[in-house]
Amino acid sequence: MSIIERVRRTISGPESSGDPLLDELRAALSEDRVKIDGAQRSLLGKDASVFDGGNSGPICYPTTTDEVVAIMKIAESHDRAVVPRGAGTGLAGGAIPLGAPVVIAVTKMNQILEIDEDNGIAWVEPGVINLDLTRHLTPLGYHFAPDPSSQQVCTIGGNVANNSGGPHCLAYGVTNSHVVALEVVTASGDVLMLGGLDAEPDGYDLRGVFVGSEGTLGITTKVAVRLTRNRPAVRTLLLSFSNTRDAANTVSGVVAAGIVPAAMEVMDQRITVAVENYVNAGYPTDAGAVLLAEVDGPEAGIDIDAERIRQIGLDNNATDVRLAGSEEERAALWKGRKTAFGAVAQIAPDYYLHDTVVPRSKLADVLDEIYEIADRHDVLVMNVFHAGDGNLHPLLIFDGREPGVLDRIHAAGGDIITASLDAGGVLSGEHGIGVEKQKYMDRLFTPDDLDHQNRLRRAFDPVCRANPGKVLPMGHSCADIQQLRSVPAEVWG
Amino acid sequence: MDLKLDADDLNTCVQCGLCLPHCPTFRVTGDESMSPRGRIHLMREVQDNNAPLTDEVLESFETCVQCRGCEPACPSSVPYGYLMEQTRETLADAGHMTPTWQKLAFKPLANPTMLQAGSSALAVAQRLKLVPKRLGISEELPIRRKPLKATGEDVYFFTGCVMDAWQRDVHAAGMRVLEAAGIGSIPTNELAPCCGALHAHAGLADDTRNLAGTMMANLDPDKPILVDSAGCGAAMKDYGHLLGTEAAKAFSARVFDIQEYLADHLEALPTVQPLDLRVAVQDPCHLRHVQRAHQATRTVLAPHVRELVELDDDGLCCGAGGAYSVLQPDLSGDIRDRKVAAIDRVTPDAVASANPGCSMHLGAAGVPTIHPMELIDRALNA
Amino acid sequence: MTAVLYTDDAVLLDFAADVGSEGAVAIEGARTRWGLGGPLEESARLLAAPSGIVEYVPEEMIVTVRAGTTVADLHAELAERGQWTALPERGGTVGGAVAVGQNDFRKPARGELRSAVLQVRYVSSEGKIVSGGGPTVKNVSGFDIPRLITGSLGTLGCIAEVILRTNPIPAVERWFRADGADPFALQRVLLDPGAILWDGTSTTIQLAGHGVDVEADIALLADHGQFAEVEAPAAPTGHRWSMTPAELRNLPTAGLDAFIAEVGVGIVHASSPQPKPPLSASVQLVHERMKAEFDPTNRLNPGRVVGVR
């Protein structure tokens, strides 16, 4: 803004934009916290997935619950949908705007409000970054357990919306187990306090159903997260195998033995090489697959489970078992695992990261099938996954500039989903449905099942204004985005 | 418009977003158009989809501190710094950014006489209370300076422009420390008047190329060149890329940050009583993210102070950014507030910073900032 | 492709036919928590849910079980493979436990019931069999119907079958008691106590895990009181209070005659019912809409209201 313009606005106040929605939003927040520039709206058309929602509507940066309520009411009076957004690291297109909705970015609501050790919780705003929270808790001896690969950037609000997981959810559970209370604002502007700090809050478990609802029930404005005590001892094992089948069999062997490690992660050779190029953590680039297994707990018994895992690995033809000798070594190994997806850009500029869950005893078979599917569609696949949960993350690597490649990628993806469902699995372990897997929902659920999910959604948002067009497949009222597409062409250029 | 960005470089970004928290402007604004991922998206929109250069797009590019904190965080190794420098060069050439006054303002940097004159004028102005505090020139500038004299012929000691004019004491301390380690140095003075870093950041890369050429022609090609300003060191280590010649690459290979060089000669320093200070290390971005030589600061300081403490902010930028603190005072101040809070959390007696821009910027906020060489010099002479 | 998703399990289909689509109906388990939610309308037909373990896959640590199965029968079967579930052991049925949604009094050791229900099959108000969730231990495919149904007291659907997560039974489980030991201090000292029960005077602690870890914890106990090993206590009875963990500190002055508190959890077993404020108006509205969506004719467990004690 030029100095003259700044002076002019100081004297005369903001000029009407000619768009009542925009004017009202700016009056409710402030002019600089409602953005409308075309470049910015195209930027928010995407998250970290391959999906593009087109230009968003006005982008709002509220700082208080009251401002969120005001945005909801203004959007309602203009009959516009709303889409919440955290750091934009979602992988299923859950935060992309369909039909130019009002975007509510929570990145300015980023305060850690209170640490309540007596109740074992912390109250935080939704824009707090996952890893920032854990770092803040570290001196007190706690952490926030969900640790998705994007934890250094993703927000707690996003974790709530997606019921995020991460490697260490194997032992500790996903986000739903780590959120005890939520303040949310529905699309009609009602403020709800869901759950509570007491042991068994009254009523339907609305907190439980809100977590993982991908922004379709409303927007989170305050979260009470559980503090997880840091464990005094940890052992991190790196097991090498000549193939992924042996690694997968080791994982099901560990589960069958009744051991619940803190984490069990498998990477195949292709991804291990890419990761090692980036982190130099000492991952064996000649191994067909590696298994990163971690146990934690009291000092006295920590080596019992570590030794049992080592033995199960050796029984399944592990070629090498290494125990991380220092915290630095452990940190480097985990850094490699958590940056695996980005590291593949060394190989090709684009990737499509899948997310399905299969029974752990079927891991080896489904993996074989995934490699065959990739060959059949002439695409490159890498596998890096939360093996302990049976949560597969096939990573399809490609260069989007190659004509026709996306068709092959989507075809291969569809076959991977089919293979996972045929093995008794489910559509998504942690990325959510978003716009990515709506069309597969009827492979997992009957029309009656989906009808009941739609009823749940309507109980919060009868007119389907919160993040419409997501999760439920077409044909269910809240999924019908036809009318959303009919934004007048002249609105917001 | 064609920003003249390399298509492959631009395509390396997979939009994973892991850079976001490492970007100081995203951290303080929460606005994705002020993040590396956002800026790369806008570069693509402009270059590939002919998106208009609106005020918001230009603001997004202009507000980048060019700290390059996103680069080590990027698993795809996107050469973000080069993309941003090229973007600015193209836009400056086309008259979209870097106004004429800024171009003129950088001219004297290459001219020691003009800079000395300007600096003396500034010193006088300071005494007349005419200099805004936010410029970070907190201590009174000397109106006259003693010239630095060679202490031997083992290495060059790069003196540069602004730093030589405003912080010559740091150079003197560095040269004394080297001397104590048995390394004689030649101050470059007018042989190498300016590294051109500020010009490159402003999109005036041709000026940088000229300055690099002058420096390379003037300096004996066998001697190492030591630099006590992280920003200058980073720029000089990049001449190989900027000029693309074998001579430039060889030159860049001879450039060392002074801490980096001293870390390899530490055993030559006498053992002394450490200073009774708790010192927080503030890593200048161009030492940590660009040169990636920041560990050396700890190596050389450890024997010379009672205690070294680390900040908990992942090396996030302090907001100085060369001329950034002058060009974007609001953002720069907000970024500095975060850094100051991180410093306050570890309650140090002093903060060691190996870059003049950072120390002036933090000094203006009342943080007791000192160059690592000055600390070592004091310990050696205690 | 879609059609195969509909179950052809004759037992479930019979149950759905029994529930039908008209007339008030309620599912009767073992009546261990029958009074919860208020009195049932007398017109309601009483039905029993089908029973039996459908499939147990110990290697996957999941079990598919029909709602009418008793928790005791289920746990007896699982124990043979060294596993159990988070369902409370107090004489009831699986369906009853899920409908009520309360945790075992050894919650830290047993885990949270609401996280253990991976999939739920129920008969809807319209008499249709509906499924939510899935058979894997991790799943974010669609809305979390299992969490909605768990603790809904049968007011949204008649629970027919669930898939539960199982957990390994720890190698060692031992109980210790001392008078005068500070349970709150112990809760901070011990890393993973299986349960800390406190009646205002004596503190009863369960230690569970590897033998060496339990031994290490026993050594810690010595610093906090004269602990003696005791038999495992029976599940506490009485009225159930839901409090915050911090509020338990004030129990001795709260005017209760007698209580057993689950320290670190917040549940208190007391002789009188807990006075509770009503739900907020905005939350109440969502409850009413939810009930109307799932049971528009108000025929499922009529009279019962979730939250009424």
Side-chain angles (χ1 to χ4, degrees), chain A residues 1 6 35 37 39-40 42-44 46-49 61 85-89 105 107-108 110 129 131-132 135 149-153 278 335 338-346 348-351 399 401, chain B residues 7-8 11-22 26-35 37-39 41-42 45 51-52 54-57 59 71-77 312-314 330 338:
Chain A
M1 194 186 310
R6 213 175 285 198
K35 310 258 179 171
D37 176 60
Q40 303 215 16
S42 83
L43 172 57
L44 291 211
K46 286 180 68 66
D47 55 12
S49 71
Y61 292 90
R85 185 178 177 97
T89 54
T107 43
K108 283 185 193 287
N110 59 358
I129 292 174
L131 188 58
D132 282 1
R135 287 204 175 136
S149 290
S150 56
Q151 76 175 129
Q152 58 171 305
V153 51
Y278 172 54
K335 183 179 182 193
K338 291 197 173 176
T339 52
F341 305 130
V344 300
Q346 301 162 22
D350 299 292
Y351 65 75
D399 185 336
R401 292 169 293 184
Chain B
D8 283 332
N11 244 299
T12 318
C13 174
V14 294
Q15 301 108 40
C16 67
L18 291 188
C19 51
L20 266 58
H22 302 279
F26 176 74
R27 274 289 189 169
V28 300
T29 62
D31 180 342
E32 283 188 49
S33 68
M34 299 215 186
S35 75
R37 177 172 73 174
R39 291 180 175 117
H41 173 87
L42 295 179
E45 285 290 298
T54 60
D55 287 353
E56 286 84 355
V57 171
E59 186 186 13
E71 289 190 6
C74 176
S76 308
S77 304
D312 62 2
D313 63 354
D314 257 347
D330 294 346
R338 278 187 72 94

Side-chain angles (χ1 to χ4, degrees), chain A residues 16-364:
Chain A
S16 169
S17 65
D19 177 346
L21 170 61
L22 196 57
D23 289 345
E24 287 173 39
L25 289 170
R26 286 186 164 162
L29 276 69
S30 61
E31 186 160 355
D32 61 329
R33 288 190 289 121
V34 182
K35 310 258 179 171
I36 195 65
D37 176 60
Q40 303 215 16
R41 289 188 293 116
S42 83
L43 172 57
L44 291 211
K46 286 180 68 66
D47 55 12
S49 71
V50 299
F51 302 99
D52 192 331
N55 281 6
S56 74
I59 305 155
C60 302
Y61 292 90
T63 55
T64 64
T65 302
D66 287 346
E67 286 183 349
V68 174
V69 170
I71 295 166
M72 290 294 196
K73 293 197 162 154
I74 292 166
E76 182 177 42
S77 70
H78 291 269
D79 198 21
R80 297 229 66 88
V82 290
V83 174
R85 185 178 177 97
T89 54
L91 291 160
I96 64 171
L98 299 176
V102 174
V103 173
I104 305 180
V106 297
T107 43
K108 283 185 193 287
M109 298 177 77
N110 59 358
Q111 300 300 307
I112 295 170
L113 302 170
E114 183 191 357
I115 311 279
D116 179 354
E117 285 190 79
D118 279 349
N119 283 317
I121 61 107
W123 278 107
V124 304
E125 291 186 325
V128 169
I129 292 174
N130 176 306
L131 188 58
D132 282 1
L133 174 59
T134 282
R135 287 204 175 136
H136 190 85
L137 297 173
T138 302
L140 300 169
Y142 303 104
H143 66 285
F144 180 59
D147 62 337
S149 290
S150 56
Q151 76 175 129
Q152 58 171 305
V153 51
C154 63
T155 60
I156 301 294
N159 294 163
V160 168
N162 289 288
N163 195 9
S164 299
H168 290 85
C169 289
L170 177 57
Y172 294 106
V174 293
T175 300
N176 217 326
S177 299
H178 297 279
V179 168
V180 304
L182 287 171
E183 181 192 83
V184 308
V185 180
T186 64
S188 51
D190 288 335
V191 180
L192 309 178
M193 181 59 78
L194 307 179
L197 306 193
D198 59 321
E200 289 172 356
D202 276 340
Y204 296 131
D205 186 9
L206 301 182
R207 179 209 61 80
V209 304
F210 192 94
V211 176
S213 60
E214 304 190 34
T216 61
L217 304 184
I219 182 169
T220 308
T221 47
K222 221 177 271 177
V223 192
V225 297
R226 207 182 282 289
L227 308 178
T228 300
R229 276 163 76 172
N230 295 341
R231 317 289 283 174
V234 57
R235 297 284 185 276
T236 307
L237 296 153
L238 183 65
L239 298 93
S240 308
F241 299 90
S242 60
N243 56 65
T244 47
R245 177 164 281 272
D246 287 344
N249 285 338
T250 300
V251 169
S252 35
V254 169
V255 175
I259 304 169
V260 185
M264 278 200 287
E265 302 286 304
V266 169
M267 297 197 284
D268 72 7
Q269 182 166 20
R270 288 170 182 161
I271 193 84
T272 305
V273 170
V275 160
E276 182 58 20
N277 277 344
Y278 172 54
V279 294
N280 297 314
Y283 276 111
T285 51
D286 55 346
V290 297
L291 166 63
L292 191 61
E294 187 160 282
V295 288
D296 61 12
E299 189 67 58
I302 188 76
D303 290 320
I304 297 173
D305 286 341
E307 172 54 28
R308 286 166 74 199
I309 292 170
R310 190 182 77 91
Q311 196 55 52
I312 293 166
L314 293 175
D315 292 347
N316 285 286
N317 314 314
T319 53
D320 184 47
V321 183
R322 191 176 115 201
L323 182 71
S326 66
E327 182 52 35
E328 288 72 32
E329 192 178 350
R330 175 177 173 262
L333 288 171
W334 277 114
K335 183 179 182 193
R337 167 61 189 86
K338 291 197 173 176
T339 52
F341 305 130
V344 300
Q346 301 162 22
I347 299 152
D350 299 292
Y351 65 75
Y352 189 135
L353 179 59
H354 269 276
D355 167 46
T356 66
V357 191
V358 300
R360 291 166 283 202
S361 54
K362 301 278 177 59
L363 274 173

